[in-house]
Amino acid sequence: MAQIIDVDGDAAGAAAEGPSGGGAGGADERVAARSPLRQALGRPELGALIGAIALFVFFSLTADAFLRTSSFATVLYSSSTFGIMAVAVALLMIGGEFDLSAGVMVTSASLVAALVSYQLTLNLWVGVAISLVVTLGIGFLNGLLYVKTGLPSFIITLGTFFMLRGLNLGVTKATTGDVATNSVADMDGFEQAKTVFAAQPEIFGVNIYITVFWWLAFIVVATWLLLRTRVGNWIFAVGGAASSARAVGVPVTRTKIGLFMGVAFAAWFSGMHLLFAFPSVQSGEGVGNEFGYIICAVIGGCLLTGGYGSAIGAAIGAFIYGMANKGIVYAGWNPDWFYFFLGVLLLIATIVNLVVRRRAETAT
Amino acid sequence: MRRFHHQKRRGTLAAVAVTGLLALGTLSACSSSGGKEAEEQQSQAAAGGAAAGPRLKIAMITHSGAGDTFWDIVQKGARAAAAKDNVEFLYSADPEGGKQAQLVQAAIDQKVDGIIVTLAKPDALRDVVARAVRAKIPVVTINSGAEESAEFGALVHFGQDETIAGRAAGEQLNKVGAKKAICVIHEQGNVGLEARCAGAQKTFAGQMENLNVQGTNMPQVKSSVTAKLQADKSVDGVLALNADVALTTVDAAKDAGSGAKIATFDMNKQLIAALKDGRIQFAIDQQPYLQGYEAVDELWLYKRNGNILGGGQPVSTGPAIVDKNTAASIEQFADAGTR
């Protein structure tokens, strides 16, 4: 967490203290130079990376079809749909907050775009733009409610989770008379928007979903934001110790609202993929996915208490989730045990992560 | 994770409590007989627009989750019958057995004239259905619970026997020439879905295995089916258990470069186009509209004339097989959202 140091000594110290207390051992230790190896071991994503490699080797040995390039493209697609959200959710969790409304917000975003465009017979891009405004508005509302009431974000977003669930169904039913939107596949702008959000360009003879590349873009931007900008330092600071951060002049309110809006932006993006890959949207979808995002972030090294974690880690977490999810299918294991296997694999990945990090922290 | 669930449950419980209070409030505030409402009802009945006799109040309580196309069609059928029979129709639903039982109890407390209930979780509903019968409220079961219906004291059951429907699907798959098939279960542990696959397995001449997918997440459904088809190139048939999964499966097969023949259960308007152009071979429709319509109509018949359909046997609403040749004939109904 060397990146914290350039903002302000106090905020950095407070943030670094968070999980283990190891970082606050004494002034001497803090200024002492660390070997590159120990620095690498101290990275939040390292444990996840080892877990991912282990899982990859495991499925390569047990499932014949797993190593084919086309199979790998499928695994990456599955990972990317979780990964895009997981990156934004990881930033929010580093900032010390949860968003339980993230899963249904994806559905809301695609419903808004589909309903607005279809009902008013507009070009789909208009719906896409309105959806962006509405979804960012929901994120803003989440953040605003949090900073105004001071209630845990857990409770606030649980409330918005239920509200969105109800709105998704209620509004769709009221406007279309049905529980799914009408197909927008034959409307103006569909093909264009599909190229942006759901294209499958052929690369080395394999069709790879464009979400994989967008996912990489999300990772790069989020990592740059976290490690190379002042905003990144603020995020670590507000998650580690919000009151100390405020005391040294970090704009806590703006940072937190911004993080909720970041999740909303990712939800909008995922929603657009949903709409253009599956042109009619079921209003009841998305429930339960919020846990998937949080799980990815946690496997990737984010702490539930905030102040620690990385965007790359969350991306690797999503990759582990995707590999476990599809690897079980490739391996042809008994489908009745699917969720059991998934749970075991995720638990093992998280434990590996934990062990690696503890080793790194205690080794002197 | 436990905390999450706990919080959610408390949220829902609070919602149920509020609904309950509201229902109580309406009950105590309104007179159950006489007054302006009765007068209006009588004049309405006398006008002969709807069926004769005082207005009945019928409650339907299902195990549906929110936003399910299938249950939307059931409700449309029920409402159509209710409008024709001069019935006030009340609908509520909860996928959890215990909460569904509470909703049935709420209907008993409201002293409705008839109850329509699904027995997806029969044990959770046994006591409350018995209470309704003791309170002399006629009960009709729909969709699930064909075996328990009579035992619990219901008048009649309307539904599709999932095993029989599954067997029909297996036979149809043989006809389209599939040799190795997968059955895509979009809600793991759902008894009805498992029965469909088991039934299909019995009559399907080739080899069939199940695949579990997360039905609330379409990208995951798609990538899982793609993965399965990539893993086993010899799969030449896919049986989906609802229309949305079937349409996603069409894309998944294309991604996997698989020529597998795709078939499905249930119906929606997008499916018709896919049936017409042969992307999907056939659909096994259990006619949900009938389940809603017939249930309300049966309660009306029973109240007015003591009639019971089916002679003590479950009444089948399916399987009705829709394929390339028959798809066009039901297109307009699917467009209207009633098929």
Side-chain angles (χ1 to χ4, degrees):
Chain A
M1 274 185 288
Q3 67 274 8
I4 290 167
I5 288 160
D6 57 35
V7 64
D8 188 298
D10 290 317
E17 242 170 24
S20 61
D28 293 337
E29 195 184 273
R30 273 199 261 178
V31 292
R34 295 198 299 170
S35 75
L37 177 68
R38 282 212 44 215
Q39 265 183 5
L41 284 173
R43 301 277 330 150
E45 56 273 76
L46 183 85
L49 186 65
I50 292 174
I53 293 169
L55 202 59
F56 185 83
V57 171
F58 175 71
F59 276 120
S60 303
L61 296 176
T62 49
D64 293 338
F66 189 75
L67 275 182
R68 285 187 214 134
T69 45
S70 57
S71 306
F72 200 63
T74 309
V75 168
L76 280 180
Y77 169 55
S78 171
S79 309
S80 71
T81 57
F82 269 101
I84 288 172
M85 287 302 289
V87 167
V89 167
L91 293 197
L92 180 70
M93 286 177 70
I94 294 169
E97 305 303 331
F98 284 102
D99 190 348
L100 297 185
S101 67
V104 284
M105 206 192 291
V106 173
T107 315
S108 303
S110 54
L111 285 172
V112 168
L115 288 176
V116 167
S117 309
Y118 189 91
Q119 299 299 327
L120 306 174
T121 326
L122 299 171
N123 187 298
L124 276 169
W125 284 106
V126 180
V128 169
I130 292 174
S131 168
L132 176 62
V133 174
V134 171
T135 316
L136 284 178
I138 299 169
F140 181 75
L141 190 73
N142 272 338
L144 192 71
L145 280 171
Y146 167 74
V147 294
K148 288 291 175 205
T149 62
L151 287 168
S153 52
F154 209 91
I155 301 300
I156 303 268
T157 56
L158 184 67
T160 45
F161 161 76
F162 280 124
M163 283 162 65
L164 286 179
R165 242 182 114 166
L167 278 173
N168 283 354
L169 178 59
V171 173
T172 311
K173 188 90 190 275
T175 45
T176 67
D178 210 342
V179 295
T181 63
N182 297 295
S183 170
V184 294
D186 52 357
M187 295 181 66
D188 285 350
F190 183 84
E191 288 307 323
Q192 268 180 318
K194 186 166 181 164
T195 326
V196 175
F197 295 108
Q200 284 177 283
E202 190 178 307
I203 291 154
F204 303 123
V206 184
N207 285 315
I208 296 179
Y209 253 112
I210 198 162
T211 50
V212 176
F213 303 102
W214 285 118
W215 179 36
L216 291 175
F218 267 82
I219 299 167
V220 169
V221 170
T223 306
W224 171 77
L225 199 69
L226 269 183
L227 303 185
R228 289 278 174 268
T229 68
R230 215 150 55 118
V231 176
N233 300 328
W234 293 346
I235 294 173
F236 279 106
V238 297
S243 48
S244 320
R246 185 173 279 123
V248 298
V250 172
V252 175
T253 304
R254 269 197 291 151
T255 309
K256 296 247 178 185
I257 292 180
L259 288 172
F260 279 107
M261 289 176 76
V263 173
F265 179 79
W268 167 77
F269 193 90
S270 307
M272 292 311 101
H273 171 68
L274 200 64
L275 178 62
F276 294 107
F278 310 94
S280 110
V281 187
Q282 292 284 310
S283 58
E285 266 182 45
V287 177
N289 291 344
E290 59 277 1
F291 299 123
Y293 311 143
I294 293 173
I295 290 166
C296 294
V298 172
I299 296 174
C302 283
L303 291 180
L304 293 172
T305 47
Y308 188 81
S310 89
I312 296 176
I316 299 173
F319 183 53
I320 289 181
Y321 196 75
M323 260 199 298
N325 222 310
K326 297 287 122 33
I328 292 169
V329 178
Y330 286 118
W333 293 347
N334 185 338
D336 296 339
W337 294 77
F338 177 84
Y339 284 103
F340 176 77
F341 291 137
L342 188 63
V344 169
L345 291 174
L346 294 177
L347 210 53
I348 290 174
T350 319
I351 290 170
V352 167
N353 189 348
L354 192 75
V355 170
V356 170
R357 194 167 351 118
R358 286 227 179 108
R359 281 269 166 86
E361 279 161 0
T362 53
T364 42
Chain B
M1 284 305 115
R2 282 187 66 190
R3 270 177 73 197
F4 283 48
H5 285 300
H6 192 55
Q7 302 280 13
K8 267 192 185 175
R9 187 162 303 145
R10 268 161 73 177
T12 331
L13 267 184
V16 169
V18 171
T19 327
L21 281 175
L22 283 176
L24 276 177
T26 345
L27 264 184
S28 50
C30 300
S31 164
S32 60
S33 60
K36 177 101 176 139
E37 204 174 296
E39 184 190 292
E40 276 171 0
Q41 281 161 10
Q42 270 164 14
S43 63
Q44 220 179 345
R55 194 167 167 82
L56 296 176
K57 192 193 271 184
I58 292 175
M60 177 186 281
I61 304 102
T62 75
H63 64 277
S64 161
D68 189 318
T69 309
F70 181 90
W71 292 102
D72 201 40
I73 300 175
V74 173
Q75 274 187 70
K76 280 177 184 158
R79 284 181 202 284
K84 219 168 75 176
D85 294 343
N86 190 24
V87 164
E88 183 187 349
F89 178 70
L90 310 167
Y91 181 81
S92 55
D94 199 298
E96 276 180 46
K99 284 191 229 162
Q100 194 194 351
Q102 289 170 19
L103 292 171
V104 176
Q105 183 61 49
I108 298 172
D109 297 341
Q110 289 179 67
K111 299 197 166 44
V112 295
D113 300 296
I115 290 177
I116 301 161
V117 66
T118 61
L119 300 181
K121 281 106 182 170
D123 289 331
L125 291 155
R126 185 186 294 271
D127 290 348
V128 79
V129 170
R131 270 201 291 277
V133 173
R134 272 204 301 280
K136 305 237 179 323
I137 299 174
V139 177
V140 167
T141 61
I142 58 167
N143 186 257
S144 26
E147 278 123 55
E148 295 84 3
S149 178
E151 180 200 333
F152 283 16
L155 299 178
V156 55
H157 177 84
F158 295 97
Q160 165 180 266
D161 184 305
E162 299 295 5
T163 311
I164 293 176
R167 295 174 79 101
E171 281 159 14
Q172 290 294 316
L173 275 177
N174 290 338
K175 278 189 203 159
V176 300
K179 297 276 173 285
K180 183 167 190 188
I182 54 170
C183 192
V184 185
I185 297 183
H186 57 266
E187 192 188 324
Q188 187 169 17
N190 179 316
V191 182
L193 300 184
E194 298 272 356
R196 285 178 180 179
C197 290
Q201 231 153 14
K202 275 190 200 121
T203 51
F204 184 56
Q207 188 192 344
M208 179 181 275
E209 53 181 296
N210 294 355
L211 174 71
N212 286 310
V213 297
Q214 185 194 346
T216 55
N217 187 334
M218 273 304 156
Q220 294 304 309
V221 171
K222 184 174 175 181
S223 51
S224 288
V225 176
T226 307
K228 187 72 195 176
L229 293 175
Q230 285 170 334
D232 190 348
K233 295 282 186 194
S234 63
V235 171
D236 58 1
V238 181
L239 183 59
L241 302 183
N242 84 21
D244 297 305
V245 172
L247 291 163
T248 301
T249 300
V250 172
D251 289 345
K254 209 163 65 186
D255 278 6
S258 160
K261 300 236 165 66
I262 296 153
T264 186
F265 280 78
D266 296 349
M267 181 58 57
N268 74 14
K269 52 185 157 186
Q270 280 86 23
L271 197 62
I272 296 286
L275 284 165
K276 279 168 81 179
D277 64 22
R279 276 175 293 154
I280 290 175
Q281 303 293 322
F282 62 86
I284 306 271
D285 187 9
Q286 63 167 306
Q287 308 192 88
Y289 190 86
L290 269 187
Q291 294 180 4
Y293 187 95
E294 288 295 326
V296 170
D297 217 25
E298 163 59 33
L299 284 168
W300 182 84
L301 283 167
Y302 182 75
K303 284 297 229 188
R304 288 288 157 267
N305 207 30
N307 291 131
I308 296 176
L309 277 161
Q313 296 298 314
V315 178
S316 290
T317 60
I321 294 156
V322 183
D323 61 15
K324 196 169 187 169
N325 302 321
T326 50
S329 65
I330 67 162
E331 187 169 19
Q332 54 167 317
F333 309 122
D335 272 345
T338 57
R339 271 307 280 268

